[in-house]
């Protein structure tokens, strides 16, 4: 395996409609849900290098509550802080549109998100709008950990 390129060669950007096939393909390859991606794509942050998608993180905003979803970095680029940078950008965008609490569901990364300040929350205490999302209702199993982060007006770390 080749070593990853220098981080300065990476491009962070918001997704557009042309990115949908690559986003859905990468999510599918990692067994993550693609349901709802089309509707939330404009709030997905991507990182790429020379046109190759390396990672993403998305947001489904529902007024003052939101769902963080589809946080993923391809295996050979993990451990370099890319997921944290993507999540930080998504959280900054969430603050900018008035989101006060961000929820997520995970079956594999509870410890990672707890280290970012997310705390466990019972599913029945999640904002009703988020509970009504397709990902929350159908895409993630009931066994997934549910976490929440209360946002402040400041920029993320």
């Amino acid at each position: 395996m080749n070593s990853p390129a220098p981080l300065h060669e990476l491009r962070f950007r918001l997704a557009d409609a042309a990115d949908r096939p690559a986003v859905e393909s990468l999510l599918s390859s990692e067994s993550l849900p693609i349901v709802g991606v089309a509707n939330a794509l404009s709030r997905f942050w991507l990182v790429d290098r020379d046109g190759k998608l390396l990672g993403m993180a998305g947001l489904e905003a529902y007024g003052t509550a939101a769902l963080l979803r589809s946080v993923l970095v391809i295996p050979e680029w993990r451990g370099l802080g890319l997921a944290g940078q993507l999540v930080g950008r998504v959280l900054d965008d969430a603050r900018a549109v008035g989101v006060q609490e961000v929820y997520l569901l995970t079956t594999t990364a509870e410890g990672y998100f707890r280290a970012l300040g997310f705390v466990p929350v019972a599913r029945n205490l999640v904002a009703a709008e988020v509970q009504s999302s397709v990902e929350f209702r159908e895409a993630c199993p009931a066994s997934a950990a549910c976490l929440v982060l209360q946002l402040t007006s400041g920029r993320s770390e």
Side-chain angles (χ1 to χ4, degrees):
M1 178 187 311
N2 294 334
S3 297
L7 296 181
H8 71 272
E9 294 180 13
L10 303 180
R11 180 173 65 139
F12 288 86
R13 63 185 177 81
L14 283 169
D16 61 35
D19 295 307
R20 183 176 169 191
V23 166
E24 289 181 349
S25 175
L26 185 55
L27 288 170
S28 292
S29 74
E30 295 290 324
S31 301
L32 291 174
I34 62 170
V35 63
V37 166
N39 293 333
L41 192 60
S42 66
R43 293 190 189 269
F44 268 63
W45 274 94
L46 308 179
V47 59
D48 66 40
R49 176 175 180 257
D50 297 330
K52 180 181 180 185
L53 184 58
L54 306 177
M56 70 186 82
L59 184 78
E60 291 183 24
Y62 300 94
T64 60
L67 181 66
L68 176 66
R69 60 164 297 163
S70 308
V71 178
L72 166 66
V73 173
I74 63 173
E76 59 267 31
W77 283 85
R78 291 179 184 159
L80 301 172
L82 297 181
Q85 290 182 57
L86 289 162
V87 169
R89 289 168 191 255
V90 168
L91 295 178
D92 287 344
D93 286 352
R95 286 182 186 92
V97 297
V99 171
Q100 297 174 5
E101 53 193 13
V102 177
Y103 297 91
L104 66 85
L105 297 167
T106 182
T107 58
T108 61
E110 181 177 359
Y112 175 80
F113 287 108
R114 289 181 84 159
L116 294 179
F118 285 82
V119 295
V121 63
R123 281 182 179 237
N124 65 325
L125 298 179
V126 171
E129 301 85 359
V130 174
Q131 285 188 42
S132 70
S133 72
V134 176
E135 182 165 337
F136 202 92
R137 284 184 292 116
E138 300 172 15
C140 285
S143 60
C146 186
L147 298 111
V148 65
L149 177 69
Q150 299 295 326
L151 296 181
T152 60
S153 60
R155 183 172 164 74
S156 65
E157 299 298 317

